[in-house]
Amino acid sequence: MTRTQETRYYFIMKHVTNSVELVRDADGLLHDSQARASMAEFTAGDDTLRLEAAAAARAAHRSVERLRAHGSEGRGLSAGAVDVLIRLRALGAAGARPGDLARSGGMTARNATGLVDTLECQGLVRRAPDPEDRRSVVARITPAGLAWLNDFRTPTQKAMAALFDGFTDTELHQLRHLCLRLVQNQQRITTHLTADGETTPA
């Protein structure tokens, strides 16, 4: 793909994932009419189903993240900081090194360190020397951090219930499964490209 084509593609993707013109097709399934039209033009008439599915996955991700950010930022934390706090709660007294938090959260070590800094400044996390490595530290959730998550639990559950209103348990299980299949495919692509010495796609 040339630079001009890449620029055009990312413009289209940004446009279609911000679209709200959802309609039902002949089978009663939702689709984004602007996405379909844009992708048809982009592919010069070739099949658009996979590109439409990618745009829909991105739009769904953005919808979830907007709702999560609205809830967490209204309480003084980014969604990423909340993810770290939830992870540290699950780990309990063992805590985690910032590098481990980065790997489990799919972020850079620098970002993980910054999130731990933010949480520590608010008294929700504390650092302590790593007993197994004097050069490192371990982050652990504090009682204040546990209380913060307890207060955040009910609003989060209500928000997710509203977001997934009308979904059956079977549909939610299938949605989770399909999303994680995409993750698996992306991991395989990354492994292949890394082995070949190519740059991993963003």
Side-chain angles (χ1 to χ4, degrees):
M1 191 182 292
T2 66
R3 182 174 297 276
T4 299
Q5 289 174 321
E6 288 178 351
T7 301
R8 185 183 182 195
Y9 171 74
Y10 287 116
F11 173 80
I12 289 172
M13 288 300 291
K14 181 178 180 180
H15 169 70
V16 300
T17 55
N18 287 327
S19 172
V20 292
E21 294 188 11
L22 303 181
V23 297
R24 294 187 182 274
D25 59 22
D27 296 321
L29 301 177
L30 285 171
H31 72 274
D32 183 327
S33 59
Q34 288 189 3
R36 180 165 293 179
S38 297
M39 294 304 178
E41 192 273 337
F42 173 71
T43 61
D46 287 344
D47 181 68
T48 64
L49 182 57
R50 285 163 182 79
L51 290 175
E52 286 187 60
R58 181 176 174 179
H61 169 74
R62 288 168 63 90
S63 296
V64 173
E65 289 306 299
R66 284 194 191 102
L67 193 58
R68 292 182 68 236
H70 177 76
S72 63
E73 290 172 5
R75 291 168 173 78
L77 292 180
S78 68
V82 174
D83 287 342
V84 169
L85 202 59
I86 291 172
R87 174 65 174 159
L88 289 175
R89 177 178 183 148
L91 293 170
R97 300 182 185 96
D100 294 333
L101 291 171
R103 283 186 287 274
S104 64
M107 67 184 83
T108 66
R110 183 175 182 178
N111 285 344
T113 298
L115 292 174
V116 171
D117 288 343
T118 298
L119 293 167
E120 186 176 36
C121 286
Q122 297 198 28
L124 306 178
V125 162
R126 67 174 180 272
R127 283 185 172 92
D130 186 345
E132 298 179 0
D133 184 352
R134 294 182 180 180
R135 299 168 300 176
S136 185
V137 296
V138 172
R140 297 185 178 92
I141 193 169
T142 64
L146 292 171
W148 194 99
L149 284 179
N150 287 339
D151 290 340
F152 190 57
R153 182 187 302 114
T154 298
T156 298
Q157 291 172 326
K158 288 181 178 179
M160 291 301 107
L163 184 63
F164 291 104
D165 181 48
F167 286 67
T168 66
D169 285 352
T170 298
E171 288 172 331
L172 290 173
H173 280 107
Q174 188 67 1
L175 176 63
R176 181 188 64 194
H177 174 69
L178 293 173
C179 289
L180 293 178
R181 282 182 61 188
L182 285 177
V183 173
Q184 281 188 327
N185 284 350
Q186 190 275 334
Q187 289 172 340
R188 282 195 291 269
I189 292 169
T190 298
T191 299
H192 173 74
L193 294 179
T194 301
D196 288 347
E198 297 183 29
T199 302
T200 303

